[in-house]
Amino acid sequence: MPTTTDLESGYLLPADPTTRSIALDLYESVADAPIVSPHGHVSPALIIDDEPFSDPTDLLITHDHYVTRMLHSAGYDLADLGVGRGASADPRAVWTILAENWRRFAGTASGYWLTREFDTLFGITEELSAETADATYDRIAAALLEPDFRPRALFDRFRIDVLATTDDPLDDLAGHASLAADHSFRGRVLPTFRPDAYLDPEATGFTERVERLLMATAQETTFTGYLAALAERREYFVERGAVSADHGVIEPFTADLELGDAERLFQGALQGVLDADEARLFRGHMLLQMAGMSVDDGLVMTVHPGVRRNHHTATFDRSGADTGHDLPVRTEFTENLRPLLQRYGTAKDFHLVLFAVDETVYSREVAPLAGFYPSVYIGAPWWFLDAPDAILRWRSAITESAGFYRSSGFIDDTRAYCSIPARHDTARRVDSSFLARLVREGRVSMPTAERIAHDLVDTIPREVFKL
Ligand SMILES: [Zn+2]
């Protein structure tokens, strides 16, 4: 049987033997460090309920739109992969589709992560294929029946120190509270305040959602009442351990409005009468207001812009959201964020982490911003860019103008629980490779490289996310 990867040969490390040996030293010094995961989309219920995973397909395929979108591009119907509203497919049949198409994942981020998961979690080193489909399925299915493969046991085995979830502002966070009170569980699972749907007049159900928010906080239907309601819910999250507020916007546009103008737009938004420009202005003003609240309550502000959601309407109508056709668009930070940074760019203890799926912005905008503003941090490569070569390109693009200490530390940002260790391991190997090259070229000393390798997985994410 061919093996998928030979770890001894220096998986993801430089090909040149001297550089590889420096990289291996650096990597080995951080390989087993605990995982700090301050932003992601694992459901809190997974950890709270601690139920066994149902089958290999549910664990590794159905909920991973990186995997299903690739199979969709090869001509498979999403419903036949068990993806989308009401879809149900035989798990073994879906697994067989993945196995028969495994060559399509060669060289892709998903291919790397799955290969690592097969190997490190299930001891599977033979490549997936039509011939190995049944045996690999059975092996994983058998493992999932073991107590060692329950979500909480895996949490320990993955050495996760902190894991943040992403939550609706009106969530009561009861699950987080019960986990915090459960002394048999030692990990930290933190909520994250994610208010997008309450800030965008063009979001489906905006008016009803804001009305619920005002009702829940007993605030008046005024712009000031709305701000107070949001501040109150943020405080609720802070009291329950949240360290950040996340903003998924199409563009990082910000606007500083007079109260009267904001009030007029707010009332128009509730009545659903804003035109596109007014809705944009309102969103931009709210992003600035959220920064102001972060200055007050200390929540780290993370911004994830530049993704056109649900690109294919027919697929969205049939299968729903998060089904693989969210696509990157060009993003502009420097002008868009200027109103926000004029107000808060130098505010004490304000942290603004900027993520991107448009890699042209790293050297042109994000690193230069982070190289001046003490509040701005460069978010780790996100979504389509959290892959080995893209992470190397990112380091090359940002380091010369901002160094290592203005970056966020690695962020897995995933829903795929079992891919968390594989993703962090990828970042550790790639960062070690990048540092090894600087050492080999005489640009950075080995002791400094060792210090940086450690800080990247520990000190830096803890500082940036105030952990
Ligand atoms: Zn996210």
Side-chain angles (χ1 to χ4, degrees):
M1 272 305 166
T3 57
T4 46
T5 52
D6 179 354
L7 298 186
E8 300 315 309
S9 74
Y11 172 59
L12 295 182
L13 297 180
D16 158 55
T18 312
T19 317
R20 187 197 313 155
S21 121
I22 301 168
L24 194 58
D25 283 347
L26 292 169
Y27 167 69
E28 284 175 345
S29 73
V30 296
D32 295 330
I35 288 176
V36 177
S37 177
H39 174 80
H41 299 277
V42 168
S43 161
L46 184 84
I47 315 291
I48 294 157
D49 301 342
D50 199 32
E51 295 290 334
F53 294 101
S54 60
D55 59 73
T57 295
D58 184 69
L59 179 70
L60 299 171
I61 304 178
T62 320
H63 305 288
D64 190 340
H65 51 69
Y66 286 76
V67 176
T68 54
R69 73 194 305 278
M70 177 70 96
L71 293 171
H72 181 267
S73 76
Y76 293 92
D77 196 297
L78 287 176
D80 293 338
L81 302 170
V83 174
R85 279 191 288 266
S88 81
D90 172 37
R92 189 181 289 271
V94 176
W95 187 264
T96 305
I97 292 173
L98 176 71
E100 287 172 345
N101 286 277
W102 186 240
R103 68 191 181 286
R104 299 181 190 276
F105 290 85
T108 68
S110 297
Y112 298 137
W113 298 324
L114 284 171
T115 299
R116 293 283 291 169
E117 290 168 52
F118 295 153
D119 181 359
T120 58
L121 279 176
F122 304 105
I124 295 170
T125 53
E126 62 267 37
E127 280 199 270
L128 281 198
S129 65
E131 291 72 41
T132 61
D134 276 331
T136 49
Y137 185 91
D138 290 337
R139 183 139 173 194
I140 296 172
L144 296 182
L145 299 175
E146 303 290 330
D148 288 359
F149 283 87
R150 295 280 185 97
R152 289 194 195 188
L154 289 175
F155 199 99
D156 288 341
R157 180 158 153 200
F158 293 166
R159 286 189 300 277
I160 299 174
D161 182 49
V162 183
L163 180 73
T165 63
T166 308
D167 308 273
D168 185 278
L170 286 180
D171 195 307
D172 66 6
L173 307 179
H176 293 81
S178 76
L179 267 184
D182 181 347
H183 296 296
S184 69
F185 178 72
R186 283 166 311 161
R188 285 172 76 190
V189 179
L190 310 178
T192 300
F193 188 79
R194 174 80 180 256
D196 298 336
Y198 297 79
L199 307 181
D200 177 7
E202 292 176 321
T204 323
F206 171 80
T207 302
E208 300 77 63
R209 218 177 261 113
V210 170
E211 281 167 355
R212 274 209 309 281
L213 171 73
L214 295 171
M215 190 102 76
T217 50
Q219 291 291 343
E220 300 176 351
T221 311
T222 61
F223 186 67
T224 320
Y226 169 63
L227 292 183
L230 287 164
E232 182 180 324
R233 293 309 300 172
R234 290 172 63 106
E235 198 52 44
Y236 184 90
F237 272 61
V238 170
E239 285 162 6
R240 283 153 188 81
V243 295
S244 72
D246 183 41
H247 303 275
V249 289
I250 183 85
E251 53 173 352
F253 170 70
T254 58
D256 200 346
L257 302 181
E258 300 291 335
L259 180 59
D261 293 331
E263 181 71 56
R264 185 180 56 76
L265 289 176
F266 176 63
Q267 298 300 343
L270 287 181
Q271 288 153 28
V273 298
L274 298 189
D275 65 26
D277 287 344
E278 290 169 320
R280 176 174 186 255
L281 202 55
F282 184 78
R283 280 194 298 271
H285 184 59
M286 287 314 298
L287 201 58
L288 179 133
Q289 287 287 347
M290 289 293 110
M293 289 187 200
S294 276
V295 170
D296 292 339
D297 62 24
L299 285 179
V300 174
M301 182 176 195
T302 60
V303 181
H304 286 94
V307 180
R308 164 66 63 203
R309 306 274 169 179
N310 308 314
H311 195 263
H312 190 237
T313 307
T315 300
F316 175 70
D317 290 345
R318 203 154 42 102
S319 306
D322 300 324
T323 44
H325 48 111
D326 296 342
L327 291 165
V329 295
R330 198 174 300 167
T331 305
E332 199 284 332
F333 287 88
T334 307
E335 295 299 336
N336 276 331
L337 281 176
R338 193 155 181 250
L340 183 157
L341 291 171
Q342 295 276 44
R343 277 255 216 146
Y344 305 116
T346 57
K348 192 170 179 312
D349 295 332
F350 174 48
H351 291 190
L352 172 64
V353 190
L354 302 177
F355 293 87
V357 280
D358 173 356
E359 50 181 322
T360 66
V361 301
Y362 290 140
S363 60
R364 188 183 59 240
E365 303 188 33
V366 183
L369 286 165
F372 174 77
Y373 288 101
S375 56
V376 175
Y377 292 91
I378 308 157
W382 174 44
W383 207 332
F384 292 91
L385 303 177
D386 59 347
D389 287 340
I391 296 174
L392 269 182
R393 289 197 298 273
W394 173 74
R395 282 280 172 222
S396 290
I398 66 167
T399 306
E400 287 172 319
S401 58
F404 291 91
Y405 288 83
R406 305 302 303 157
S407 63
S408 68
F410 183 68
I411 305 290
D412 57 72
D413 205 335
T414 188
R415 300 163 201 280
Y417 186 54
C418 285
S419 74
I420 291 175
R423 290 176 196 237
H424 284 260
D425 183 70
T426 297
R428 291 170 187 193
R429 288 171 180 273
V430 171
D431 283 340
S432 299
S433 301
F434 183 76
L435 282 163
R437 179 170 67 82
L438 300 193
V439 171
R440 179 92 160 99
E441 293 174 0
R443 305 203 224 179
V444 172
S445 72
M446 189 63 181
T448 297
E450 285 168 342
R451 164 93 195 259
I452 291 169
H454 169 266
D455 288 347
L456 287 175
V457 302
D458 186 90
T459 320
I460 289 173
R462 291 184 204 279
E463 272 176 20
V464 175
F465 282 88
K466 303 183 181 178
L467 292 163

